């Protein structure tokens, strides 16, 4: 995890260039204004190349995004 307090572009570019899921390296670049755990799960799915919004029926009150991200 990298926390770039000064929003230095070189850190962002280096992290994005390191993204390589087959090697176990995933660079998650949260969407602007992400403030919820569900939003973070959607960003993680997108980083993995998966659709962030899942189609289909799910049990009432159950959030499938984290189940998909952890799978």
């Amino acid at each position: 995890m990298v926390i770039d307090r000064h929003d230095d572009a070189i850190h962002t570019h280096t992290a994005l260039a390191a993204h390589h899921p087959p090697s176990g390296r995933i660079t998650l670049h949260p969407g602007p204004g992400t403030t919820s755990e569900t939003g973070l799960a959607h960003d993680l799915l997108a980083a993995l190349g998966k659709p962030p919004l899942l189609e289909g029926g799910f049990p009432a009150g159950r959030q499938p995004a984290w189940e998909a991200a952890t799978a």
Side-chain angles (χ1 to χ4, degrees):
M1 175 181 282
V2 175
I3 298 174
D4 183 8
R5 297 183 193 281
H6 302 291
D7 198 19
D8 191 350
I10 192 143
H11 287 106
T12 300
H13 293 294
T14 302
L16 292 173
H19 179 80
H20 192 256
S23 297
R25 291 189 314 264
I26 299 169
T27 300
L28 174 64
H29 197 256
T34 299
T35 59
S36 72
E37 291 181 9
T38 301
L40 183 59
H42 290 168
D43 288 338
L44 180 56
L45 287 169
L48 293 170
K50 306 295 181 192
L53 301 176
L54 305 170
E55 298 179 15
F58 299 95
R62 204 163 154 199
Q63 176 48 258
W66 275 113
E67 289 181 31
T70 57

